[in-house]
């Protein structure tokens, strides 16, 4: 039990995850260090393939056998990475719960939604079936499933995508987890339903006090939903800070490029204005310099030669991996929100 209120709930240090493949070792996560405090929401953001899911799966010991993992992940006094499998199974779904992108793969199609939530309650609690069912109805109500009594007896295919995701969230919080890991919880949903599910997650946080690791490739989702943001690129942390540090004081060209790809003026037309030009590098045999260098508008020779370290910007709360972190122009000038031209055009 954690008695010190200021102690982190999760303290990850030097997490590195490699996959042995026929082509060599793929470094999916490289030396990632971060913490999540009790009740805090940390958003983990980055393009596809940056290592967000692998980070979360490694913490839950849900990685494939080919993974080679080093580092520590202290959760309430125990190292999750060193926990025997049967101990980990107790932590999973109880103290740490996960919500995935596609709830259809996590729900069993042959059982009713209610019976699956009840089952989750029964596995970790010594309560009667009747009490577990009552709790199920309560949970469905909390996540905004209308007519929860009737809905509980329906099968997953009778639920819409948004309703299924609500059911998954209900199941995830059924045992009052201290930490909820949500991996792209709204990516498969259309924009309106996305906003509703984000609202449910906010509500859940308020009701349960659970800390949350919110994984998304969409920086636009995190502003109203997270306390801190952690930006990943090519398996590494590129910038971490509070919401304001990232959105108004970013000291990293990659974060800035992500900010530039948030739909703004053309949002009504439902268009994403731009993606970051170029592609992330291969994670096999990485080149010596900064992995973002080939796509970076701010690069100098040092970026070709040397991997930048994660350096402090303003106190330990805001850190950036960029050789030019301290001499980038202030963000207001770099990113005019009324400017509708693309990054490419601006560069
Ligand atoms: N089992 C595996 N074997 C080999 N490489 C893998 C394996 N699983 C993941 N990878 C690689 O690890 C890297 C990180 O993958 P990860 O799934 O964490 O990305 P992500 O940031 O979650 O992306 P997305 O936004 O698409 O979900 C990718 O390059 C991926 O191809
Ligand atoms: Mg992922």
């Amino acid at each position: 039990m954690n008695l010190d209120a200021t102690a982190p709930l999760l303290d990850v240090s030097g997490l590195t995850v490699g996959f042995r493949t026929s082509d060599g070792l793929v470094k999916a996560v490289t030396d990632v260090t971060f913490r999540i405090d009790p009740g805090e929401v940390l958003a983990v953001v980055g393009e596809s393939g940056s290592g967000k899911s692998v980070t979360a799966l490694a913490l839950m010991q849900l990685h494939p056998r080919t993974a080679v993992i080093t580092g520590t992940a202290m959760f309430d006094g125990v190292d999750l990475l060193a926990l025997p499998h049967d101990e980990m199974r107790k932590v999973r779904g109880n103290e740490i719960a996960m919500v995935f992108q596609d709830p259809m793969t996590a729900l069993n199609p042959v059982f009713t939604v209610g019976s699956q939530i009840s089952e989750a309650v029964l596995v970790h609690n010594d309560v009667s079936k009747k009490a577990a069912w009552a709790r199920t109805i309560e949970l469905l109500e909390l996540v905004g499933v209308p007519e929860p009594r009737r809905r509980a007896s329906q099968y997953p295919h009778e639920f819409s995508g948004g309703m299924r995701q609500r059911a998954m969230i209900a199941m995830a919080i059924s045992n009052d987890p201290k930490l909820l890991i949500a991996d792209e919880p709204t990516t498969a949903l259309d924009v309106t339903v996305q906003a509703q599910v984000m609202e449910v997650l906010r509500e859940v946080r308020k009701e349960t006090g659970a800390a949350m690791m919110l994984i998304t490739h969409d920086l636009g989702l995190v502003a109203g939903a997270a306390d801190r943001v952690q930006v990943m690129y090519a398996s590494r942390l590129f910038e971490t800070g509070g919401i304001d540090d990232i959105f108004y004081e970013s000291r990293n060209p990659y974060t800035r490029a992500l900010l530039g790809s948030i739909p703004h003026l053309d949002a009504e037309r439902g268009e994403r204005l731009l993606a970051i030009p170029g592609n992330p590098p291969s994670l096999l045999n990485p080149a010596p310099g900064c992995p973002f260098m080939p796509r970076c508008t701010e690069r100098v020779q040092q970026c070709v030669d040397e991997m930048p370290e994660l350096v402090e910007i303003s106190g330990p709360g805001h850190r950036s991996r960029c050789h030019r972190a301290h001499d980038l122009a202030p963000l207001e000038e770099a990113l005019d929100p009324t400017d509708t031209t693309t990054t490419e055009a601006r560069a």
Side-chain angles (χ1 to χ4, degrees), residues 118-305:
S118 275
E119 192 53 40
V121 175
L122 286 167
V123 166
H124 293 283
N125 299 276
D126 187 18
V127 294
S128 68
K129 282 194 170 174
K130 200 171 159 213
W133 189 257
R135 173 88 175 126
T136 298
I137 305 299
E138 203 179 275
L139 287 162
L140 286 174
E141 201 154 23
L142 174 68
V143 297
V145 170
E147 298 180 76
R149 246 164 261 282
R150 185 173 70 83
R151 291 302 215 137
S153 305
Q154 291 184 329
Y155 291 87
H157 72 263
E158 298 177 77
F159 275 49
S160 66
M163 283 299 151
R164 275 203 290 271
Q165 197 54 296
R166 286 172 198 253
M168 275 312 299
I169 294 169
M171 198 186 302
I173 61 170
S174 61
N175 296 298
D176 262 328
K178 296 191 183 105
L179 175 65
L180 184 64
I181 300 179
D183 190 351
E184 309 270 6
T186 66
T187 303
L189 308 170
D190 68 50
V191 179
T192 341
V193 182
Q194 254 183 20
Q196 290 164 358
V197 170
M198 287 310 295
E199 188 50 44
V200 169
L201 286 173
R202 257 193 295 275
E203 195 61 31
V204 158
R205 178 195 183 187
K206 221 168 64 195
E207 290 289 320
T208 66
M212 193 153 74
M213 180 169 169
L214 173 67
I215 298 174
T216 174
H217 59 261
D218 191 349
L219 246 183
L221 272 188
V222 311
D227 302 306
R228 276 189 307 122
V229 186
Q230 178 157 299
V231 179
M232 287 186 78
Y233 183 71
S235 87
R236 292 171 196 269
L237 291 187
F238 257 57
E239 190 166 20
T240 97
I243 288 285
D244 288 356
D245 295 331
I246 300 297
F247 278 80
Y248 303 110
E249 310 271 350
S250 169
R251 291 274 151 207
N252 193 289
Y254 176 61
T255 309
R256 291 176 173 207
L258 284 178
L259 286 168
S261 69
I262 295 176
H264 38 99
L265 279 187
D266 268 5
E268 293 131 50
R269 281 197 278 148
E271 275 174 32
R272 278 197 91 77
L273 278 182
L274 42 106
I276 307 171
N279 291 304
S282 158
L283 299 173
L284 279 166
N285 314 315
C290 172
F292 189 57
M293 179 278 295
R295 307 169 75 186
C296 187
T297 54
E298 311 289 338
R299 64 172 173 250
V300 291
Q301 185 58 40
Q302 195 184 9
C303 311
V304 180
D305 302 332

Side-chain angles (χ1 to χ4, degrees), residues 48-49 51-54 101 183-184 215:
S48 189
K52 308 180 298 294
S53 295
V54 171
Q101 172 174 343
D183 190 351
E184 309 270 6
I215 298 174

